[in-house]
Amino acid sequence: MTDITQSRQVAAAPDKVRGLPGHATVGTNDLDAASVFYDKLLAVFGIGRVLVQPDRAIYYGHRTLEFGIIKPFDGRPAAVGNGGMIAFEAPSRSKVDEAHATALAAGGSDEGAPVPRGENGTGPYCAYFRDPEGNKFLIFRSGADAA
């Protein structure tokens, strides 16, 4: 079997745990302010801090690293990537709404209110925002709400 065939088999099995990405990070120039924003936003999903590296990074997750905010290792200022975006899957449409509202209330900016996307609004339910440093995020729910 080729790697491509194996990948397709894993992708076709909905009961399998996703293997990628391991975790994602965004850069920050103000770790303290960023942590206030992400503590509030990720609490919507029941996610908390799993690792803190003082004055360097904070990682969040359920049981392991899933997302982090970091000061760039090279010591240069953090900058927003053009075209980059991180997507968080929500268990329900109401969590999409709650996460979007929480992000805005915590200092983020709106990039697209929560609505169904796609042709005739039949696609996934999505909301877009930027964190206070300009990193772009998507919160989405595809299909029915999780039980």
Side-chain angles (χ1 to χ4, degrees), residues 9 21 26-27 36 39-42 49 65 68 74 79 83 88 95-96 101-102 104 107-108 111-112 127 133 139-140:
Q9 288 178 342
V26 294
V36 170
D39 286 349
K40 291 176 183 176
L41 174 66
L42 297 176
R49 295 177 179 194
L65 302 182
D74 64 9
F88 293 143
K95 286 293 182 187
V96 172
T102 299
L104 300 185
E111 285 284 317
E133 294 190 79
I139 306 290
F140 72 97

Side-chain angles (χ1 to χ4, degrees), residues 4-131:
I4 294 171
T5 303
Q6 289 172 344
S7 296
R8 286 187 183 142
Q9 288 178 342
V10 170
D15 60 336
K16 298 284 184 185
V17 175
R18 294 181 187 177
L20 291 175
H23 69 276
T25 62
V26 294
T28 182
N29 293 303
D30 187 340
L31 191 60
D32 292 334
S35 68
V36 170
F37 178 85
Y38 286 105
D39 286 349
K40 291 176 183 176
L41 174 66
L42 297 176
V44 170
F45 301 104
I47 296 173
R49 295 177 179 194
V50 293
L51 175 64
V52 175
Q53 297 172 329
D55 300 319
R56 170 77 179 106
I58 299 173
Y59 293 94
Y60 298 85
H62 287 287
R63 290 180 297 277
T64 187
L65 302 182
E66 296 178 62
F67 176 76
I69 51 176
I70 62 170
K71 289 184 175 180
F73 183 75
D74 64 9
R76 291 190 283 188
V80 177
N82 186 23
M85 180 177 70
I86 295 175
F88 293 143
E89 185 173 7
S92 66
R93 287 179 171 211
S94 65
K95 286 293 182 187
V96 172
D97 295 340
E98 182 181 355
H100 185 259
T102 299
L104 300 185
S109 60
D110 183 28
E111 285 284 317
V115 297
R117 308 292 178 180
E119 196 171 314
N120 300 320
T122 58
Y125 190 74
C126 301
Y128 298 86
F129 64 88
R130 290 189 185 268
D131 72 6

